[in-house]
Amino acid sequence: MFQLPNLPVFLLAALILLLTPGPAVLYIIARSMDQGRLAGFVSVLSIESGNSVHVLAATLGLSAILMSSALAFSIVKYLGAAYLIYLGIRRLLSRDQGHEIARLQKQSLRRIYSQGVLVATLNPKTALFFLAFLPQFVDSSTGSITLQFLTLGGLFVLMAIVTDSMYALLASTAGSWLKQNKSFLRADRYIVGSVYIGLGVTAALSHKS
């Protein structure tokens, strides 16, 4: 039976990242405000379907790297830590005008789902995020590396379904407040940026040489 010694840290980091508004959350809010609660929930499922594809791809790719070379996997973890630090610094230094909720053209629920899956699956930034984020919480000495990746990735997606559904519900009932509250929409500049940097630094310092 494999173990997840870093699970509490993973859950805390994932929760902070998921609760702060990013592009996926803004898309869900826009759909919920324009077409109602059901459309918001469908957009949640579409985004997380795409994220599940990235989790599976990251699991297969990173597991293959570990099986071929422990050194190569360590390099991937260090590069991932550096990428997280880079994301954090870029987020802290970014301007705020990109965090606006755009009005979207009304679509059928089937169209909303298919478009969301396609956008999420083809987003290279999402792929890079999972490749950098997941390896920081696995330990080959505690059991199956593949199961660890799948478990962590699955937990992240399940948590995202819950938090994103909360945004869909909130946006469908209090959308005008969300759209006008700029301080709320800009929260990720400081919170997520700090979390990324903290994760990257902690991961880099904790890796065994």
Side-chain angles (χ1 to χ4, degrees):
M1 183 67 180
F2 75 98
Q3 300 177 358
L4 293 171
N6 298 318
L7 183 59
V9 179
F10 171 82
L11 293 176
L12 178 60
L15 182 62
I16 294 174
L17 292 173
L18 291 170
L19 285 177
T20 49
V25 168
L26 296 182
Y27 171 78
I28 291 166
I29 290 175
R31 281 296 180 199
S32 301
M33 289 192 305
D34 287 345
Q35 292 187 239
R37 187 173 302 172
L38 182 57
F41 288 147
V42 170
S43 66
V44 170
L45 293 178
S46 70
I47 294 296
E48 302 316 324
S49 296
N51 286 343
S52 297
V53 173
H54 287 295
V55 168
L56 182 58
T59 297
L60 296 176
L62 293 169
S63 296
I65 291 175
L66 178 62
M67 287 186 289
S68 64
S69 170
L71 176 61
F73 187 73
S74 295
I75 293 174
V76 168
K77 292 189 73 171
Y78 277 115
L79 290 175
Y83 181 68
L84 291 173
I85 294 173
Y86 162 75
L87 287 179
I89 294 174
R90 190 179 68 173
R91 188 67 62 90
L92 289 175
L93 297 178
S94 65
R95 296 179 179 272
D96 296 321
Q97 59 260 33
H99 290 76
E100 297 178 355
I101 302 175
R103 293 194 60 84
L104 302 174
Q105 183 179 1
K106 293 186 181 299
Q107 302 282 355
S108 67
L109 295 180
R110 177 177 296 183
R111 185 68 172 171
I112 290 174
Y113 180 80
S114 61
Q115 284 184 340
V117 172
L118 185 63
V119 169
T121 302
L122 297 181
N123 187 348
K125 293 182 179 179
T126 304
L128 285 173
F129 169 76
F130 281 111
L131 287 173
F133 186 66
L134 293 181
Q136 312 307 327
F137 301 96
V138 301
D139 186 348
S140 59
S141 65
T142 60
S144 171
I145 199 78
T146 301
L147 284 178
Q148 289 184 61
F149 276 123
L150 284 176
T151 301
L152 293 174
L155 284 173
F156 188 92
V157 171
L158 288 176
M159 292 173 66
I161 291 175
V162 174
T163 57
D164 288 348
S165 294
M166 291 171 55
Y167 274 115
L169 181 61
L170 182 61
S172 63
T173 57
S176 59
W177 179 85
L178 284 174
K179 196 168 186 178
Q180 295 173 4
N181 195 313
K182 295 182 178 181
S183 62
F184 173 81
L185 295 177
R186 294 169 180 170
D188 71 326
R189 177 180 178 182
Y190 304 102
I191 300 175
V192 179
S194 299
V195 171
Y196 277 143
I197 293 174
L199 281 174
V201 172
T202 301
L205 294 178
S206 65
H207 292 166
K208 296 179 181 180
S209 57

